[in-house]
Amino acid sequence: MQHSAAHAYQQVGKQTVSPRVLEANLLSRAAAQLQMVRDDWDNRRHELRDALLFNRKLWNIFLTSVTGESSQLPDKLRENIANLGLFVMKQTVSMQDSPVPAKLDTLININRELAAGLRASRPAE
């Protein structure tokens, strides 16, 4: 994994997609990386660190964005995303401290569910 989450965000952002689709694509990419490690643990466990790092950097971007003063999201949504981000960070630390393939399921599911929600929702008009 040569690209950081921030670099991936910039590269995908160069395409003409909405911010929601961009975020959904990056969440899906992070989920896919974690899923590959989970599905082939014996052969890909060495990729765990990079997959967790990509996911953590992506969530750090989300946390920074929603907690920043320039965020235009409603306060309740900002709070929910921030709480979810903190949970993701705690799960990541837990996985790093005690790597067990099944523990990746939570991170994978959160990313996939949020990506699906971003793809399904329409921007406020």
Side-chain angles (χ1 to χ4, degrees):
M1 230 168 284
Q2 298 173 355
H3 302 290
S4 70
H7 180 71
Y9 193 90
Q10 292 168 349
Q11 293 303 312
V12 176
K14 289 179 182 177
Q15 302 170 8
T16 55
V17 297
S18 74
R20 287 178 185 267
V21 172
L22 167 64
E23 291 166 351
N25 289 346
L26 289 168
L27 285 163
S28 294
R29 177 177 165 184
Q33 290 173 352
L34 294 167
Q35 187 71 56
M36 285 189 298
V37 172
R38 164 96 167 83
D39 289 347
D40 193 9
W41 184 255
D42 292 335
N43 295 314
R44 293 193 153 194
R45 182 178 176 166
H46 67 278
E47 296 175 25
L48 176 64
R49 181 185 169 280
D50 287 340
L52 288 172
L53 180 63
F54 180 84
N55 194 59
R56 187 176 71 232
K57 285 182 177 182
L58 181 59
W59 275 94
N60 190 48
I61 292 167
F62 292 155
L63 282 168
T64 301
S65 176
V66 299
T67 58
E69 291 180 22
S70 63
S71 176
Q72 297 180 2
L73 295 173
D75 289 344
K76 188 66 177 169
L77 182 57
R78 291 172 64 176
E79 182 181 321
N80 288 341
I81 294 170
N83 286 335
L84 188 57
L86 292 174
F87 177 79
V88 166
M89 296 300 184
K90 288 179 186 177
Q91 287 295 113
T92 300
V93 169
S94 174
M95 186 63 193
Q96 289 170 322
D97 289 344
S98 177
V100 177
K103 288 169 65 175
L104 288 172
D105 292 345
T106 301
L107 295 173
I108 293 165
N109 290 335
I110 288 171
N111 285 3
R112 286 186 177 153
E113 290 295 322
L114 189 54
L118 286 167
R119 287 188 180 103
S121 64
R122 294 186 174 177
E125 296 178 13

